[in-house]
């Protein structure tokens, strides 16, 4: 459904007397992802690996240095940059920070109604009906329609953000760290809502997160990102049961465990991974530290490694 | 650091050039042609005499050529000849410059000697009656326009009470035959009222900055750490808090230098103090274009220098300020 | 419909109620302005400017002249009231125009960046390097057919930059927030984002700046008129009245010519700044909430 081909996003580093461009920061470096319809693809990595930049590039919030984006076969790389592009009725985004993603000066009604005013020439009646419909969908009652964002909790605000993103009935949603700013208990709640929405409205997700656990629950396919590139891609089983890339292993080893009995096991695992990293780094990263291109090791599992027989 | 200064200078040079163009051509539009003046005074003057006057001031040449001649002269230090005084503009400016400079420096001293103690102690005793009085004083002084304060000071301390002279920069007899000490004394005596006016008005910025900074720093964690380590309150105050709080003052200094010459126009006019501010006004009223052009260029350059110094001061004193 | 309790105007009213002095200042200011405008409608300008040789330089409370007369026999009280009105009108015009230009340019520069930002900031940097007071005087002298309207324009030329820096900085900060990004993704056109989403968040800051701008325009106008530039001599104004003090004999012997004007100016400035401080406190209260 959505395909990213060789996406690169470089940010210039300026300096010197005349403010010349000294070098570039390669936030996204030759990245390619294919997301099928109905899938939930989890893009995972630490801060600064480029996953948010990728997400933002898809919806046109970033300037793309090179590469292309395809939606259902059509290239949308240039059209996605315009605010009023009709593709917006198909691709939408949920944001990370519940405290700044809603305009504090606007009521819930105004916030959810905003997209409806941009497309479709709807009458005020129609808008009101739709806003009410979406608000109830995310579990917020009608009498809260004219409240302001600060009157809602963080979890409620994220749900409002979800409602807002779904008003135009899009088919593809980019969720950029949609639950990272919430308390753990609320995270579960919001993720459940997202699952529900996916089933009801037949949505396709690109779920960006730094938390492997969260992604495990919601997503069918996972892509691990490091230094602007995908270093491993596969199903949930592939990644969790059979991780190949040392970075994936590092991420997995850093998940804290709640069982005191497992503490020893996990501790040993971490040390192993650290040792493995030192020994095998050259297999996964070239001399400049850049990860290699992805190579297939099974129909669903890809790894960024120098040569396949090193597995 | 040197890269920063260099970069600023590179930006300033074209700005200076543009300023010179703006200055020259706006002054060009000033009414007041000495050759026409002469004609009005002596209707029977011959054409040759009128042409000679025009030639003397380069008025018979096209504008672009006049500009280039003027610019060339300026770079050498020659700002042209005054219409009314028949001497070099540069010399006239030099005389008045000293007075304005003296006034500026005295105001600076007053500004710091009043502003700093008030700022520091109002922050130290935050919330006290003293603090609230200082805040009230600050508010009042902020609102007062400069010429209002000047007029009131002149009226009460100059005329009504007669404590200070109401014009001039030095007693003429002292100037002629006084000793150095007497001359200095007379100068100070004459400069007190205007310097006080200008100085008081500037204390507001210092007090605000200092007070805000000290109060902000008082609550910072590094202060609490110092206290927890057992450091005496006095030392905490002087070395940690004060030293950090004085940083923004450097920006005040810079802006002050820039503002000295703009504010001098009003202050010197009120107190009839013969500095370049008053000289500017006199020249305008006399329609003496060369003086005006020269003065405005001079004051523009000073303003530019002031802002450059201000930037350099801020950057060199406060390590937090990034050079962008 | 539940109204937002923490709006800016609500905070402002609260601040007024808790500081009676500020309330007094605001009311005083409004009264002065209202009185000036209304009373001026009753003044016959021609009669006001008729030279009255017998009644020259009369001290206050003689012959029914509340504040006395000036050296042409003109009624000082009427001159003052009309003068206040004129000065306020100039200050309001300058502030309105400067803020419209400055705020719009500042928002554009901050939101769009790029060329718009570059050109605007170059202009701002250049103009702010010039000594404004001096250039304003020169422009006033050199402009042919000088009118109060041209005076306003000259003042605006140097005044608008005071808004740009602040607004641009706020826009840069606000524009990074996610709700702006969300609006773009939701398909809202840029002009709507700027005026309907962004600027409402800047209203308190803008209000504060405008009030302070009023104070500074008033000071500049009065100062320029005092020096003889600015409003022409045949128009009553505060600066005009104060300028009579430039003559030594007038300053010493006929203080009623210039002192009332000085006093009124001072009071107005204090009230405007007090209002500004209240606005500032209301602004701070919002952050706390």
């Amino acid at each position: 459904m959505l395909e990213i081909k060789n996406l690169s996003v470089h940010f210039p580093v300026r300096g010197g007397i005349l403010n010349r461009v000294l070098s570039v920061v390669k936030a996204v470096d030759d990245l390619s992802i294919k997301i099928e319809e109905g899938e939930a693809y989890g893009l995972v990595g630490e801060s600064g690996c480029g996953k948010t930049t990728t997400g933002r590039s898809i919806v046109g919030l970033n300037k793309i240095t090179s590469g292309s984006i395809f939606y259902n076969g059509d290239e949308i790389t240039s059209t996605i940059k315009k605010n009023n592009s009709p593709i917006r009725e198909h691709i939408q985004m949920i944001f990370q920070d519940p405290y700044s993603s809603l305009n504090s000066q606007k009521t819930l009604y105004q916030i959810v109604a905003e997209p409806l005013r941009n497309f479709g020439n709807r009458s005020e009646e129609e808008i009101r009906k739709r806003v009410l419909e979406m608000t109830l969908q995310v579990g917020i009652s009608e009498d809260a329609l004219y409240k302001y964002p600060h009157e809602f909790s963080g979890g409620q605000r994220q749900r409002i953000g979800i409602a807002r993103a779904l008003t135009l009935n899009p088919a593809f949603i980019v969720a950029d760290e949609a639950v990272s700013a919430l308390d753990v208990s609320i995270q579960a709640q919001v993720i459940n809502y997202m699952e529900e929405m996916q089933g009801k409205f037949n949505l396709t997700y690109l779920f960006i997160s730094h938390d492997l656990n969260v992604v495990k629950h919601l997503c069918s396919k996972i892509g691990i990102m490091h230094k602007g590139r995908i270093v491993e891609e596969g199903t949930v089983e592939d990644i969790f049961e059979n991780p190949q890339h040392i970075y994936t292993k590092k991420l997995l080893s850093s998940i804290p465990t709640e069982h005191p009995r497992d503490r020893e096991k996990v501790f040993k695992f971490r040390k192993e991974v650290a040792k493995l990293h030192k020994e095998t780094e050259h297999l996964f990263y070239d001399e400049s530290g850049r990860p290699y291109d992805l190579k297939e090791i099974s129909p669903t599992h890809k790894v960024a490694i120098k040569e396949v027989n090193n597995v | 650091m040197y890269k920063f200064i260099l970069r600023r200078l590179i930006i300033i040079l074209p700005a200076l050039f543009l300023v010179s163009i703006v200055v020259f051509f706006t002054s060009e539009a000033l009414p007041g042609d000495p050759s026409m003046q002469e004609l009005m005074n002596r209707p029977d003057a011959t054409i040759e005499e009128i042409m000679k006057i025009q030639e003397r001031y380069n008025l018979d040449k096209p504008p672009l050529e006049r500009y280039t001649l003027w610019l060339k002269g300026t770079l050498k230090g020659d700002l042209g000849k005054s219409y009314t005084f028949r001497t070099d503009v540069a010399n006239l400016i030099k005389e008045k410059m000293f007075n304005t400079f003296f006034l500026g420096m005295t105001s600076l001293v007053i500004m710091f000697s009043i502003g700093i103690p008030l700022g520091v102690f109002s922050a130290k005793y935050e919330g006290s009656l003293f603090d609230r009085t200082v805040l009230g004083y600050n508010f009042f002084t902020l609102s007062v326009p400069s010429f209002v304060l000047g007029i009131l000071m002149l009226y009460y301390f100059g005329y009504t009470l007669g404590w200070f002279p109401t014009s001039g920069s030095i007693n003429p007899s002292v100037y002629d035959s006084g000793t150095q000490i007497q001359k200095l004394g007379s100068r100070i005596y004459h400069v007190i009222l205007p310097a006080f006016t200008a100085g008081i008005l500037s204390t507001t910025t210092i007090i605000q900055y200092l007070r805000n900074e000290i109060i902000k720093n008082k609550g910072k964690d590094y202060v609490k750490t110092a206290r927890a380590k057992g450091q005496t309150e006095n030392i905490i105050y002087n070395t940690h808090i004060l030293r950090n709080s004085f940083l923004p003052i450097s920006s005040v200094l810079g802006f002050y230098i820039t503002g000295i010459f703009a504010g001098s126009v009003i202050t010197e006019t009120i107190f009839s103090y013969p500095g370049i501010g008053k000289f500017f006004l006199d020249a305008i009223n006399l329609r003496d274009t060369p003086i005006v052009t020269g003065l405005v260029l001079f004051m523009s350059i000073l303003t530019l220098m002031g802002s450059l110094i201000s930037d350099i001061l801020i950057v060199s004193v406060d390590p937090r300020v990034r050079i962008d | 419909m539940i109204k937002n309790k923490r709006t800016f105007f609500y905070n402002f009213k609260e601040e007024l109620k808790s500081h009676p002095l500020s309330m007094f200042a605001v009311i005083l200011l409004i009264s002065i302005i209202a009185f000036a405008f209304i009373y001026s409608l009753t003044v016959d300008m021609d009669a006001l400017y008729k030279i009255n040789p017998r009644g020259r330089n009369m001290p206050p409370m003689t012959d029914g002249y509340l504040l006395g007369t000036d050296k042409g026999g003109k009624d000082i009280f009427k001159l003052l009231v009309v003068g206040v009105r004129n000065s306020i009108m100039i200050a309001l015009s300058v502030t309105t125009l400067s803020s419209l230009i400055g705020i719009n340019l500042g928002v554009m520069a901050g939101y769009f960046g790029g060329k718009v930002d570059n050109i605007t900031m170059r202009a701002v940097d250049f103009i702010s390097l010039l000594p404004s007071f001096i250039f304003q005087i020169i422009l006033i002298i050199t402009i042919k057919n000088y009118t109060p309207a041209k005076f306003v324009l000259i003042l605006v030329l140097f005044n608008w930059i005071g808004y740009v820096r602040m607004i641009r900085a706020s826009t840069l900060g606000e524009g990074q927030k996610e709700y702006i990004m969300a609006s773009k993704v939701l398909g809202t056109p840029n002009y709507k984002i700027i005026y309907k989403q962004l600027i409402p968040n800047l209203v308190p800051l803008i209000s504060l700046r405008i009030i302070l701008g009023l104070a500074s325009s008033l000071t500049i106008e009065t100062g320029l008129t005092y020096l003889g530039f600015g409003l022409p001599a045949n128009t009553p104004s505060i600066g005009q009245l104060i300028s009579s003090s430039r003559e030594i004999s007038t300053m010493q012997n006929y203080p009623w010519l210039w002192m009332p004007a000085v006093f009124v100016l001072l009071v107005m400035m204090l009230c405007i700044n007090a209002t500004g401080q209240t606005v500032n406190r209301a602004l701070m209260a919002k952050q706390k909430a």
Side-chain angles (χ1 to χ4, degrees):
Chain A
M1 184 184 222
L2 184 101
E3 185 173 353
I4 305 174
K5 264 202 189 145
N6 307 108
L7 181 69
S8 286
V9 181
H10 297 166
F11 294 110
V13 174
R14 291 185 185 276
I17 299 180
L18 297 170
N19 232 20
R20 288 165 298 140
V21 178
L22 292 177
S23 62
V24 282
V25 168
K26 293 190 180 163
V28 181
D29 187 4
D30 197 19
L31 181 124
S32 300
I33 294 182
K34 243 203 217 145
I35 306 179
E36 306 295 335
E37 185 169 342
E39 239 179 18
Y41 187 102
L43 191 56
V44 182
E46 291 171 324
S47 333
C49 71
K51 51 192 202 296
T52 303
T53 314
T54 311
R56 296 216 176 136
S57 306
I58 297 180
V59 289
L61 286 173
N62 260 338
K63 223 193 289 188
I64 297 175
T65 313
S66 69
S68 23
I69 304 176
F70 292 88
Y71 181 73
N72 280 343
D74 303 318
E75 178 160 1
I76 58 168
T77 329
S78 46
T79 59
I80 198 74
K81 281 189 270 197
K82 299 198 199 80
N83 285 12
N84 57 357
S85 167
I87 192 72
R88 304 258 182 236
E89 292 186 274
H90 301 270
I91 303 183
Q92 274 300 325
M93 190 159 180
I94 304 173
F95 293 85
Q96 173 180 4
D97 184 0
Y99 294 94
S100 71
S101 58
L102 306 178
N103 191 341
S104 56
Q105 304 296 310
K106 304 274 175 189
T107 59
L108 192 168
Y109 182 82
Q110 289 169 307
I111 292 174
V112 181
E114 185 184 348
L116 296 167
R117 299 189 200 279
N118 295 329
F119 296 100
N121 263 336
R122 297 176 173 84
S123 72
E124 201 59 37
E125 257 309 304
E126 290 172 346
I127 293 182
R128 198 201 149 79
K129 227 173 51 165
R130 181 74 180 152
V131 170
L132 198 57
E133 193 185 325
M134 297 316 298
T135 319
L136 293 172
Q137 279 287 354
V138 291
I140 297 193
S141 58
E142 182 176 348
D143 59 1
L145 268 187
Y146 295 101
K147 286 202 180 145
Y148 285 85
H150 67 268
E151 299 180 73
F152 294 101
S153 71
Q156 283 173 316
R157 283 192 230 197
Q158 278 303 78
R159 276 146 53 196
I160 296 173
I162 296 175
R164 173 177 66 180
L166 295 176
T167 2
L168 289 174
N169 211 1
F172 187 86
I173 302 271
V174 178
D176 184 5
E177 307 261 19
V179 293
S180 308
L182 302 171
D183 291 331
V184 180
S185 49
I186 312 289
Q187 278 187 12
Q189 202 186 67
V190 174
I191 293 184
N192 283 336
Y193 266 111
M194 289 183 69
E195 260 189 308
E196 213 182 294
M197 298 295 127
Q198 184 177 28
K200 253 199 224 165
F201 299 109
N202 200 17
L203 299 171
T204 310
Y205 282 135
L206 171 61
F207 194 83
I208 302 175
S209 176
H210 59 266
D211 190 343
L212 266 174
N213 263 336
V214 162
V215 162
K216 187 175 177 180
H217 182 87
L218 185 63
C219 301
S220 48
K221 204 149 90 161
I222 298 181
I224 311 280
M225 220 174 141
H226 188 219
K227 294 196 183 172
R229 313 207 69 199
I230 303 262
V231 297
E232 189 161 357
E233 191 189 76
T235 62
V236 174
E237 289 84 39
D238 288 335
I239 300 289
F240 279 82
E241 314 283 321
N242 187 20
Q244 291 301 315
H245 200 278
I246 39 168
Y247 185 70
T248 316
K249 292 187 187 168
K250 249 179 139 176
L251 278 181
L252 286 169
S253 72
S254 64
I255 298 176
T257 173
E258 53 289 342
H259 294 292
R261 246 173 285 154
D262 292 340
R263 234 188 271 157
E264 276 286 330
K265 219 187 353 173
V266 172
F267 189 65
K268 252 181 48 183
F269 181 45
R270 278 188 202 148
K271 281 198 127 172
E272 262 175 45
V273 168
K275 204 173 93 175
L276 196 67
H277 192 284
K278 273 218 205 102
E279 291 168 357
T280 58
E281 193 171 356
H282 61 281
L283 293 175
F284 298 98
Y285 300 92
D286 65 19
E287 299 85 45
S288 62
R290 186 174 185 257
Y292 286 104
D293 291 335
L294 283 173
K295 315 243 175 358
E296 238 184 66
I297 59 171
S298 95
T300 58
H301 198 166
K302 292 198 193 106
V303 185
I305 201 165
K306 196 164 177 189
E307 279 144 31
V308 179
N309 46 18
N310 284 327
V311 173
Chain B
M1 185 61 202
Y2 298 109
K3 251 200 281 187
F4 174 72
I5 301 181
L6 197 66
R7 197 174 340 148
R8 292 299 264 123
L9 277 176
I10 293 181
I11 296 179
I12 284 196
L13 280 172
L16 264 178
F17 186 61
L18 243 123
V19 168
S20 74
I21 296 184
V22 170
V23 167
F24 184 77
F25 285 103
T26 39
S27 305
E28 274 290 298
L30 271 179
D33 183 337
S35 57
M36 294 302 122
Q37 247 354 67
E38 189 70 16
L39 197 59
M40 284 209 291
N41 293 339
R42 298 191 306 129
D44 54 315
T46 61
I47 303 282
E48 289 92 32
E49 287 171 330
I50 302 293
M51 300 274 288
K52 235 194 345 186
I53 297 181
Q54 287 210 334
E55 215 177 316
R56 195 191 310 157
Y57 297 108
N58 283 337
L59 290 170
D60 49 339
K61 302 197 178 66
L64 203 58
E65 199 178 328
R66 266 184 284 153
Y67 171 71
T68 350
L69 281 170
W70 174 77
L71 191 63
K72 272 202 255 180
T74 310
L75 291 169
K76 279 189 280 193
D78 171 20
L79 287 165
K81 284 197 166 9
S82 148
Y83 292 165
T84 21
F85 298 108
R86 305 292 160 100
T87 42
D88 283 335
V89 172
N91 288 335
L92 292 167
I93 292 184
K94 261 189 261 192
E95 292 168 15
K96 316 281 180 180
M97 213 0 233
F98 174 72
N99 283 333
T100 306
F101 188 71
F102 190 61
L103 174 61
M105 287 301 115
T106 319
S107 316
L108 198 78
V109 167
I110 293 180
M111 170 174 91
F112 278 141
S113 46
I114 294 185
I116 292 184
L118 281 185
V120 168
F121 288 113
S122 75
K124 186 164 188 180
Y125 303 112
E126 187 186 353
S128 67
L129 183 61
F130 179 74
D131 182 25
R132 279 177 291 158
T133 317
V134 170
L135 284 175
Y137 157 84
N138 222 32
F139 172 72
F140 191 83
T141 315
L142 251 180
S143 316
V144 174
S146 63
F147 60 99
V148 163
L149 185 64
I151 292 175
L152 288 174
M153 302 282 275
L154 181 65
Y155 182 67
Y156 280 114
F157 295 106
Y159 288 109
T160 311
L161 291 174
W163 289 358
F164 294 101
T166 54
S167 69
S169 65
I170 191 173
N171 192 326
S173 51
V174 174
Y175 184 70
D176 288 330
S177 56
T179 64
Q180 286 291 53
I181 300 276
Q182 278 179 319
K183 280 198 201 157
L184 182 65
S186 180
R187 283 196 196 277
I188 294 181
Y189 186 51
H190 278 83
V191 97
I192 284 198
L193 271 186
F196 204 71
T197 312
I200 289 283
L201 289 172
S202 319
T203 56
T204 50
T205 334
I206 290 201
I207 294 180
Q208 261 176 342
Y209 272 5
L210 262 183
R211 189 178 175 279
N212 285 342
E213 278 299 306
I214 295 181
I215 291 182
K216 196 169 68 163
N217 283 329
K218 273 206 289 195
K220 287 244 175 98
D221 283 342
Y222 70 84
V223 171
K224 294 188 192 153
T225 313
R227 236 177 245 137
K229 283 199 278 175
Q231 188 62 273
T232 53
E233 197 63 30
N234 250 342
I235 298 186
I236 293 181
Y237 213 80
N238 293 330
T239 47
H240 291 290
I241 300 182
L242 283 188
R243 196 174 286 179
N244 280 322
S245 308
F246 272 82
L247 293 180
I249 303 286
S250 52
S251 71
V252 173
L253 247 187
F255 287 125
Y256 186 77
I257 300 177
T258 327
I260 274 187
F261 298 100
S264 68
V265 177
I266 286 199
T267 319
E268 290 176 10
T269 307
I270 296 177
F271 292 97
S272 301
Y273 186 83
I276 56 177
K278 180 161 179 299
F279 193 46
F280 172 70
L281 268 190
D282 295 336
I284 292 258
N285 288 325
L286 288 169
R287 302 284 190 262
D288 195 331
T289 313
I291 299 185
V292 174
T293 321
L295 268 176
V296 176
L297 182 69
F298 186 64
M299 290 200 258
S300 307
I301 294 179
L302 286 171
T303 313
L304 272 159
M305 290 291 121
S307 82
L308 178 66
I309 294 178
S310 162
D311 286 338
I312 294 179
L313 272 173
I314 297 178
V315 166
S316 58
V317 163
D318 191 349
R320 291 172 297 181
V321 175
R322 266 182 312 140
I323 304 167
D324 61 16
Chain C
M1 195 146 135
I2 307 167
K3 272 261 156 194
N4 182 7
K5 282 257 142 190
R6 284 282 169 204
T7 60
F8 173 63
F9 294 107
Y10 175 79
N11 278 333
F12 184 69
K13 274 184 271 173
E14 285 295 294
E15 286 292 334
L16 279 183
K17 276 189 241 160
S18 58
H19 290 91
L21 210 57
S22 310
M23 175 90 97
F24 174 67
V26 174
I27 295 180
L28 183 60
L29 183 65
I30 299 182
S31 321
I32 294 180
I33 299 181
F35 179 73
F37 274 84
I38 299 177
Y39 187 83
S40 302
L41 294 172
T42 70
V43 171
D44 178 356
M45 290 304 290
D46 294 322
L48 178 61
Y49 272 88
K50 236 205 288 228
I51 309 258
N52 177 5
R54 278 187 304 125
R56 306 171 80 220
N57 288 330
M58 293 200 285
M61 305 310 264
T62 48
D63 255 359
Y65 287 112
L66 202 60
L67 287 172
T69 58
D70 71 352
K71 59 178 190 246
K74 304 199 279 288
D75 181 349
I76 300 233
F77 181 72
K78 292 208 179 111
L79 280 177
L80 183 59
V81 176
V82 180
V84 166
R85 182 201 66 170
N86 289 342
S87 292
I88 293 179
M89 285 222 293
I90 302 267
L92 275 174
S93 318
V94 172
T95 308
T96 314
L97 269 173
S98 311
S99 59
L100 276 176
I101 298 177
I103 292 176
N104 276 303
L105 276 179
V107 161
M108 302 275 178
Y111 187 80
F112 291 111
K115 261 205 210 130
V116 174
D117 190 13
N118 262 333
I119 298 179
T120 310
M121 290 319 284
R122 294 255 171 280
V124 167
D125 284 334
F126 181 67
I127 297 183
S128 62
L129 286 175
L130 303 171
S132 61
F133 205 65
I134 287 152
F135 268 90
Q136 281 166 323
I137 293 180
I138 293 196
L139 282 173
I140 290 174
I141 293 285
T142 52
I143 301 274
K144 303 192 200 11
N145 301 329
Y146 182 66
T147 62
K150 293 197 183 157
F151 179 46
V152 169
L153 286 176
I154 294 176
L155 255 50
V156 169
L157 179 62
F158 286 89
N159 207 331
W160 66 272
I161 56 176
Y163 295 87
V164 174
R165 283 223 172 94
M166 195 193 74
I167 299 290
R168 176 178 173 271
S170 313
T171 309
L172 281 175
E174 204 68 19
Q176 296 307 312
K177 296 217 177 132
E178 290 190 344
Y179 72 87
I180 298 285
M181 287 193 244
S183 287
K184 288 187 191 169
V185 174
L186 293 167
T188 316
N190 278 327
Y191 76 88
K192 259 199 204 168
I193 296 183
I194 293 179
Y195 291 104
K196 292 220 168 130
Q197 302 276 343
L198 189 72
I199 290 197
N201 279 290
L202 299 178
V203 161
L205 203 64
I206 294 179
S207 315
L208 179 65
R209 187 62 189 80
I210 288 187
I211 293 183
L212 295 179
L214 261 172
S216 82
S217 320
L218 190 59
T219 311
I220 296 178
E221 179 270 315
T222 324
L224 282 171
T225 311
Y226 166 78
L227 290 176
F229 314 98
L231 288 174
N234 58 6
T235 317
S237 80
I238 303 178
Q240 172 69 17
L241 282 170
I242 303 182
S243 72
S244 58
S245 69
R246 295 179 71 184
E247 231 171 274
I248 302 179
S249 63
T250 315
M251 178 183 250
Q252 284 192 281
N253 302 322
Y254 310 119
W256 61 86
L257 257 68
W258 51 271
M259 267 217 223
V262 166
F263 179 67
V264 170
L265 179 62
L266 196 55
V267 166
M268 284 207 295
M269 290 297 290
L270 286 169
C271 292
I272 297 179
N273 277 313
T275 314
Q277 268 204 356
T278 318
V279 168
N280 197 22
R281 281 198 296 262
L283 233 177
M284 297 289 128
K286 191 153 199 266
Q287 321 278 49
K288 275 190 278 173

